[in-house]
Each structure stands twice: as structure tokens, then as C-alpha cells.
């Protein structure tokens, strides 16, 4: 029934290749099917003004899509002169989500910036960005630990994200673009590896959903996050 | 236990004054405690290019805060030269939510713009904007019906929104600003009057929440929306 | 002869409601007929760089119109990405006018920002902003005096503003929108309560005026300012 | 008493050199003492959208200062990414003033843009721009008349502008920069050659002025405009 | 003598992988040593307004660097709100260079946009972009030919680019970043496969060079372009 | 054969008038035929952050065209809200070129900004800007030397620039606008007075050129620079 032939509760194939660029303190290319996102972590000694002197660390994120990562070419945001509303929403979400998995005292007064750049898009880019972003973060933090710059690991648990939605009347896991563009309801679920929730966003455009449906999507999401967290740990082992 | 002395499941006092400005096709001042939002509806014959000729109508929204609606003065976005990420997120949410309660075929090829301007802020401005925005929309649509410009009512059901969160370890309904700034988890729940869901956003900053807690917040939200929908119908009766 | 039925030298009904928002150090809603402007005063310890260390205070102003304060909806300036030329002109005028009534030595090194936001427009919004802005300023300064933060009252005299113009060949006081949009000549007169002049702007679009007519407008303006100053003192007594 | 040694009612030396650039339809370099402004007129067949099809013409203006036209270098507005509030105010004034001297029916549906670029500044640049701008306009209109494109002269009378102010307690004509920066009150007076008024702007910064003083400034301004109009006619004879 | 141990006239290892993204009409990842650039070609039916109806085609380019393509993180241009001067220069150069190798009559009225996004930077990104950009262009044009949309091949010859410079007093081919940051003179040479010149840019910062040195750099460049053109033809064979 | 009737190797008439504005530390109006550029030098004690404390000086440049310096009016860049790509390219080139002729140690920690504003354009404005910019720089540096603020002359040699191109199949010196708009190849050559090269830019749009042609253009350029350097020295003697 799904355009890809997948089962309702079946994720796309996931691969995470680490250390893909030579300059970044941590990096990976995450592929969820045909969605490919390059995630890099940049470590800096400075923190934003609002926490200067607090002893706390900061994790933030930026997101972008290459102009031809999509079916038809999108206008380059740098040329347009500003980041669109969707971009701003997504990068705020990535930063907020990753911070939920960080002990900012243990990190100490330093900043890690996660850049998520979509090389090829086929739905679910924000979830792939969070999942891959955590891998880049993990690798950068590992460097700090190895160098002895910090002693306690500030990463509590993997942070992973997956989309689910109602497609053709059925709850399905990990929407690809053909599903996403048809779905009446779609949601993004961001969790720790232990399935504690960080953020839930469910949204219907020109439609509604019941509390029962919401619970079915939650069940799918828990399955997906479990699989993703295993991939994250494997990639950074 | 709550700073305001309210019960855990008690909303702030809600008032909705209609027809507060002489130019707009529909308007109201909604007050949820000390949060005051002026909502106006503007009716236009033209629709955005992407639906021109489709026969479908469009409902969109814009949101703003007066510079001194808040405890300390915020920079005026017009002077800053752009709408911030938070503003863009909120106005997209308002538009999307209201459209979920509109039969766009029945509305016909016309656009209604809902402007939500926060006169005084004390938490929950986006929820008040949606709830008050629907009232302004209802009044503008009533004019169309009365004038015979449309024959079928395109408004399916009230659209209302309420925030809930975990404050001091307890699930509470309708966070005010002192609660919101302390809450580990907060959520916005947008529903039709019949409690079907339009949008759910739950978010933890530097914290997490369990699925049980999520369900408790949902229960509170359903109670809140029921009360708000009654207020909306009363104000537009 | 006037669309409103007023006498040539008759102002619209004026009301000034004070302390209308809970956060601002001073505030009022001024209504001149159907023109309604919310004025707030924000008190800050810092001053602009160019007077830092001078011991002098600063008063500045910002102006905005809600998108649907007007007959047809105006584009929101924050969405347009900049304040239009008219807005910039008006807010510079408000600031300059109010400063003329302030003893900046007595005020001491602090800044007061007056925000004037037009809730509903029917002509004369810049004059209402100055007149209402002074009331907000007076209330904020009263707080400083009461708290003993300053000892000498820095406010020399009320600052009030009124428009006059040539409508249908006759000099008239306090133009409303239907008059303003037809007037060949219109002027804004800003004075202290003792009728000393702060600023005079008279302008003809596609027309001219004689020195005699200019004097007739001045006579009307003096009458108007006298009445406004009485209202200001009454509201802040 | 004046820094320049001029009499209270004495203008600076005025020269107007015409046809100073080869591309513009009309041009002049106006010098009022050390204030030098290059004015060009551009003639175009198109008019702004709001008068398309009306049969009426349009005259508009833009103003700029070269970065080192002033004592210390000013930031280039193109590099700053926007025209400042002062620039916007001035160019609106120039356009409005020149339109007051134009019969827009006789001009017909065409647009003339006056560019006023300050090469060297020593006070009074907006007045020099208006006076020189009219000369450029006159020359461009002469071309239309000569070519038979229009038959009735749309220019009713010269439009000229002069500043006056209270300097060291005395009313003086044609403020230069040393006077302008010290003056408690200064005004700009824009008139037709027959002394009918187009625009009057008088402004006190941190000071006030009486109606008597206002009249003394008006007297000076009438003398100044008379002299300028003679220069304009001589230059375009 | 060179940091990399290369001979003076030795290029870095070059690889060109084609068809690396599924959406673009043509694409490649070009690697010149540690400089990696993703080049995509987008084919569109529309052309820019200035050639509409001319029957001529258009080739244009955009360039960007991922924030962490460099040793330390660069600010994202979309977040900064504009493309920097260097970016604008480079993308104009890429477009101009590629057009020199295109028969725009044979291409017909269609536009091809080449996006060059630097994934990892180690000097010579603009040259890699041109060389890789031509490969993407070739692949997109092949699709047009294969589909019969055009009959005559509009690509006259490969377009390739290489940098040369004076490093430590010696002329060297294909500067990498450590060389580029030390070189007193550097140049970019863009040629057709037959060594006819399209663009030559030689520049000294705080230094000068003789005409002899210029000729030595030209000799190196010819060698480099010959090798690159062979790689381009091999990759698109 | 040339539209102007000039010989292939004949420059336009060059004149350089110095000290044309009273505020700038150095200034000139350079005329190369009908191309007229006003160049001013501004001397400031501060340097850009990246060389603060280094003891080195800095020379930078900005470029602009008056809106009606061209045949048809160009949009004012300040009104457009940004400097176009061409402007940015040119002003970077001017600054880079002039710095090549400066001993930055001898200049000491101070900045000189060269503003080049095109009053009238007829081709070759960037070359005229560099040549005239050096004259303004020379005059400003002379003031420093005369005042004893610096003891060693930091200006090594004149910096001059000339364009050459292939017009109607022939190499020609100093292209004017009618030639420039037709030329298949054009180049800008920037040299010291002793003909050492600072920057060479040769570019073909929709065409190519051979190495022989490149050498012919170089020969012409050397002749042109020799003549310009003589003019520069004469003007600043």
C-alpha cells in the first residue's frame, strides 16, 4: 500500500557514515533512504552572551538545504537574503532537541554548533538532521573527553527523531516525500534512547485527528526511535 | 501551589469583547487573565497565486507583540528589519490551525487575514491568538453569510487552543508567564470544539517527559478547550 | 459643512485613559474621535552612546500602526522588513517634540522610550501620539519623582500637538480622515502648554497657500493646544 | 556677528551652472556658498502604477550625499543597506515641493525623476536641492516643449527653498553649517516665485520659539526666495 | 619545497564522480585533493527576462560554501542575510566562464543553472567549481540531446580552470590552501580544452609581479588545463 | 575604425584636477574623455579590527555611480538596499590595487579610505577610479608627511590602470562605452609606474582569445600606464 512497498511500521534503510569531512570536530553523513544529510559539529571556546560566566555549555544548530536537493530547484536562501520560516523553525527544533540530551554543567562553558545540510531530500530531513546531528555531537564530545578537557560525559543518552503520519487512512512509520505530501496528519517525535519524550509535534493541515490515532502514531514512533538509537550507538562505538 | 493560587486544572478568567475596531470585518479583544490580544479579520477578494482559479478560499494569519507588551521592552520587529523566528513560527501555527476548521470550498475564492497583536503579555499569547482569531474569523464570515455572498457556512466548528505544562512537577492547565518561565515541559493543544485534534506541540527544554505525563496534559487540554469553545460560541451568538 | 458636522474651530471629542497596561512605567490610551493610540513609556538606566557620561537624559519615540487600524489593511512593517518613510518621519517628530519639553539635566542619565501604536486610525495619528506620548512620559517621570530617583521635575510644560488645514476652502481645526484626504493644505502644530512653538509643519500637495491662511491656521492651532493641554493636566493630576 | 561675516538677511553667493552632465535630460550644479549639489532630471515614458491610465504626470526625487561631502566621512548608504530616515524625509520633501509647481495634466502621463546628489555640504543641502532640482526640471521640460511632445508648459512658476533660523538669538537668512549646528530653531521655507507657500517646516530642538519669531523668519524667507527665483530664471533663460 | 611534496608543475589528484544526486539533471562531485565540490545542473524552460523571445539560451551559476567546509567555521550566508562579495564574484565568474563554451543558439531558449557547493575546502574552490560545473552541464545537455529536445550539441569544448601562483618565489601549479595563504601572487586561468583563453585573473596582494612571471604561470596553466580537460571527457564519456 | 576616430593605441584625453572638495584630506576629479570620477581620500586614526595593534596601515576603497551617470538612469543602490555584485567587485579591486603600491609599515596604524564616485560614465570607470584614487591617496599622504606624522613616504610608486580589448577584431587601448559594449574581449591592467604588474583581468563573454592576443593587449596596456603615471605625477607635483 505504501508507494515504497514498505510495511506500515517499517523504516527506510538507515546508514550513518562518520568522519566524512576533515575540518569538523565531528561529522557524519546520515542516509534515511534517499534523504541524505551532512551533519558537522564545530567546537568553540566561546558561549553566547546570555550564559557567559555561568559555567554552562551551549549546543545550537543551523539547517540548510542545497538548492537542488529537491525535485525542482529551490531558491538559495543566501541569495534570497534570509532564511525562510521553515528553516528557522527546523534549526530551532534541532538545537532544542539536542540540548535536552546534554548535561550542560558537565559540558562546561563551551559551545558546539551542529550544522545540518541536506544534500538530497526525500522527506524527513528534520528528523534525519537530529539523529545525525547527535552522532556529530557525540564524536566532538568524544574528542573533548579523550583530550581530558572534560571528565564527565555530558551526553546522557542518544537523541533520535522520527516522523510518523496518517497516510491513506493508515498510521505509517517514517514518511518519505511521496507519503508526506499526501498525508493528512504528520508528526515528528523526538526522544531519548530510553523513549523519554523531548518534543512531540503533530499537525493536520485541512484535516483533524483523534486521540486514538495520536496514540497509534506514538507507538510507531517508539519503535522507530529504538532502531535509530541502536544505529547511533553502533556508528559511534 | 500555583503562583496565581489557581487549581491545577483551572483556567484563567477569559473574556472576549467583540467588534472593538470600526474598520475590520471582524474583531475581538480576548483576555486570558493578563494576556490581552487584539484579533482582527480582514476580508479580501484576492487569493494567493498558488490557489488562483482553484475556487478555494484561504485563511492566513500574522502575529505581533507591541514593544512594551512585556515586562521589559522588546525591540520592535519593524525597526529590527525582520520578524524573529518565534514570530514566524507562531503566525504559521495560527494560520494552519484556523484553516483546519474551514471548508475552503464553501468559503470560495477569497482570503481572510487574521491579525493577532498582543497588547499585554502574561503567557499563552499564541493560544489566545488562535482562540480569539477564530472569533474574528467567525464574525467576518457572518458578514459574508448575511450579505448572501456565500450560502454554506464554511466554519465547521470552533477552533480553540490552550497551553498545559509540567510546573513544579505537576501537570497544570493554562500556564501564565511565571509558570511558563519555570516549566520543564510545556505544550500547546489546538482542537476543534468536538475535541478532535488539529495540532499538538509538546516540548521540553533541558528536560524530558514520559508518555504518562503526556496523557495527563492531554486530559487537561480537553477540559480547557471545552470551556474555551463555549466562550467562543457565546461571544459570537 | 464638515463631514462630521463640527464647527470650523471645533476639535473632536478627546479622552485620555491612563495606566492601561500593567508592564509600562507610564501608559495611556488617547482617543481623538475615532483615532485611538496606545502610548507607553519605558524607563531604562542606559542612554545612547552619543551622550554616555554627559549626565544628560534622553527621550526617544517609536511609532507603528496595527495592520488593520486603517480602512483597508496595510502591510505589516515587520513583515515588509523595514519601517516606511512616513513611519520614520513621524517617530523622529514625536521624539524631537517631547524632548523640547524636557530639562535633560534634571532628568539625569536615563532614557525614556515612548511607544505610540495606533489601534484605530481616523486622521491626526501623529498629533494624538505626541499628546498621548506626553501623558505616558509624565506618568513615568512621576514614578521617578515619587521614588526619589530625581528631585527636580524635568518636565517644563505639557507638549501637545494638533493638526489644522484648509478644507473646502476653509481653515478647520483637527482634521479627521475624510477631511485630511481632501485637504489642499494641512499642518501640524506642536507647542508647549504656554503656546510657545516647538515645531510647525505646513504642507500643500499640488496646491499652495498664502501667508494669511498660514496665520489663520496658527490661530486655530493655539485654540486646540490650549484645550489639549488642559486634558493632559487633568489626566495626570 | 555671523561666522561668515554676512548680514543677518544676506544669502550666500549663489551660482547655478546648467547642462553639466551629458546623459541627463536636464542638469545643473547649484552652489550656495560651499554647499554644492548636482541635480539631474530623468525623463521616462512610464508612470507609477497608482496613476497609470489617469493621464496625469508625476515628478519624484531622490537625494544622496557622497560619503566625504561632509567634514568627517559618513557611511555610504548603499553599503549600510538602507537610506537613513533623514534621507527619506528629504527626498520626499523635494518631490512634494516640486510637484506643487507642476500642472500634472499639462505634463501628461510621463515621469520626471530629479536626483539631487550632494558633492560638498555646508548646510542647507535640502533647500539647494529643491532650488537646483527645479532648474533641472525646467530644462527637461523645455526639451519636451521644444520637441512638441507637450504643448502647454506644465511649470507654473519656479519653486525655490531657503532656510532661516534663530542663531545667537537673532533671526538669520540662509544658515551655513556652523550656524545650523548652533541654531536653537531652524526652518525651511518652500515657495513659488510669487511667494505663495508650498511647505513650511520650523523646528526647535531642546528649545522653543514665539509666534513673533516665526513671523520674522517668514519675512527673511520671502526675501531669500525672491532672490533665488531670479537666479533660477536667469539660469534657464 | 611545496608543503604537499608535489613538484612545481604537479596538480593534486583529481577525481570526478558523476550522477551523485537523484534530482538534478546533471551532477558530479569533483575532488581536487582535499577540495570537494558538489556541482549540480538544473534545467528549466524559462529564461531571464532580458533574453525572452530571443531564441537564445542562458547558463548561470551559484556558489556556496558549507559553514564547516573550512578550518574554522564560517558564518552561514543565509543567516548573515546576504552573499558576501567573494561569493558574488565567484559565482559571476563561474557563469561567465561556462557561457564562453556554449553555443547559445544551439541551446535554444532554456536556462541551465549550475550550483556549486563546497563540501570541503583546501584552496582552489572556484577552479574546481568551474571544472566540475562543466561536467554537470555536459550531463544535463546530454539528456536534452538524447531526448531530441535539441539537435546540435551546444557545448563547443570543455571549459576548465586551474590556479597557479608564485609560492616561495617559485611559480607553482594548482595551489592548495597552505600555499594559497602564503602566495604573493595568484592567478586563475580559465580555458577551453584547446587552450584558448576565456578568462585570466592574476592578482598580487601587497606585492607585484613581472611580465616574465606572468608568462611562466601561463605555461603551467596550459599544462593543468590539458590534464583537467582529459578528466572531464573521461568522466562524461 | 574606432567610433571616436582614435588610433588603436591612443588613449582618450586625460585630465586630473586636484583638491576639488574642501573636506577631504585628498581629492581629485579625473576625466578620461567623457568618464568623470570624483575621488576623495579620508584619513582616519583607527584601523580595521583584524590589524589592530599590528603597527600596519590599511587602504580601502568604496565605489558608486550616481544614478544618472549613465545613458539611462540606474536604480540608486542605497534605495535598492544593497550594493550590486559589480560594485562590490570593483571596490574590492580598487582597494587591493592601491594597497599593492603602499608600504604599510611606513604608513603606520592608520586607515585611508578612497571613495570613487562616478559623476559621468563612458566606459573604463574602474580604471579611472584606480588612477584617480591614487592621486587622492598621494595628496592625503603628502599631508601626513608635511605634518611630520610619518617620516618615510609609504607610496612606492604610482598605481595606474587601463583597459584594453579586442574591438572589431583589433586590439585597442582604453575602451570607451560604445567599444566596451561591443568588445568580445576586454581586460583591465593595473600596474605600478615601473610597469610591474599588480592585477590583470582579461575576460571574454561568449568568445575566447589566444595567448598572442593576450600579449598584444599587454603591450598596449604598458603604453597606457606609462602615460597615466606621468599624468599622476604631474598632477601631484
Amino acid at each position: 500500500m505504501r508507494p515504497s512497498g514498505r510495511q506500515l511500521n517499517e523504516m527506510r534503510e538507515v546508514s550513518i557514515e562518520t568522519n566524512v569531512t576533515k575540518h569538523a570536530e565531528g561529522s557524519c553523513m546520515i542516509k534515511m533512504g534517499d534523504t541524505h544529510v551532512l551533519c558537522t559539529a564545530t567546537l568553540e571556546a566561546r558561549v553566547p552572551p546570555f550564559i557567559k560566566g555561568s559555567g554552562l555549555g551551549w549546543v545550537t544548530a543551523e539547517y540548510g538545504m542545497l538548492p537542488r536537493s529537491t525535485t525542482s530547484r529551490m531558491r538559495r536562501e543566501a541569495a534570497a537574503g534570509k532564511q525562510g520560516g521553515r528553516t528557522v523553525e527546523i534549526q530551532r527544533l534541532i538545537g532544542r532537541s539536542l540540548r535536552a540530551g546534554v548535561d550542560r554543567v558537565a559540558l562546561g562553558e563551551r559551545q558546539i554548533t551542529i550544522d545540518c545540510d541536506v544534500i538530497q531530500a526525500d522527506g524527513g530531513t528534520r528528523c534525519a538532521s537530529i539523529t545525525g546531528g547527535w552522532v556529530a555531537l557525540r564524536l566532538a564530545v568524544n574528542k573533548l573527553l579523550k583530550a581530558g578537557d572534560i571528565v564527565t560525559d555530558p551526553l546522557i543518552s542518544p537523541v533520535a527523531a522520527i516522523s510518523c503520519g496518517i497516510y491513506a487512512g493508515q498510521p505509517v512509520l517514517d514518511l518519505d516525500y511521496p507519503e508526506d505530501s499526501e498525508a493528512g496528519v504528520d508528526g515528528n517525535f523526538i526522544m531519548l534512547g530510553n523513549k523519554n519524550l523531548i518534543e512531540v509535534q503533530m499537525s493536520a493541515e485541512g484535516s483533524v485527528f483523534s486521540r486514538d490515532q495520536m496514540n497509534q502514531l506514538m507507538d510507531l514512533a517508539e519503535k522507530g526511535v529504538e532502531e535509530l538509537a541502536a544505529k547511533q550507538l553502533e556508528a559511534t562505538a
Side-chain angles (χ1 to χ4, degrees), chain A residues 106 144-145 148-154:
Chain A
L144 286 173
L145 286 165
D149 291 337
I150 56 177
V151 288
T152 311
D153 184 358

Side-chain angles (χ1 to χ4, degrees), chain A residues 11 34 53 60 75 88-89 95 120 139 145 155-156 166 170 180 187 197 205:
Chain A
M11 281 211 301
D34 280 337
T60 186
R75 191 169 179 202
V88 170
E89 265 187 52
Q120 189 174 279
L139 296 170
L145 286 165
L155 299 192
I156 301 156
I166 314 280
Q170 298 286 336
D180 191 35
L197 292 153
E205 171 91 26

Side-chain angles (χ1 to χ4, degrees), chain A residues 6 15 33 49 58 75 143 182 195 224:
Chain A
R6 282 187 280 149
S15 78
W58 190 245
R75 191 169 179 202
K143 284 213 177 139
E182 297 286 318
K195 296 185 203 160

Side-chain angles (χ1 to χ4, degrees), chain A residues 93 96-97 188-191 197-201:
Chain A
L93 173 63
R96 204 163 58 229
S97 299
N188 296 293
F189 302 82
I190 301 145
M191 308 187 200
L197 292 153
I198 294 170
E199 182 123 0
V200 172
Q201 298 183 330

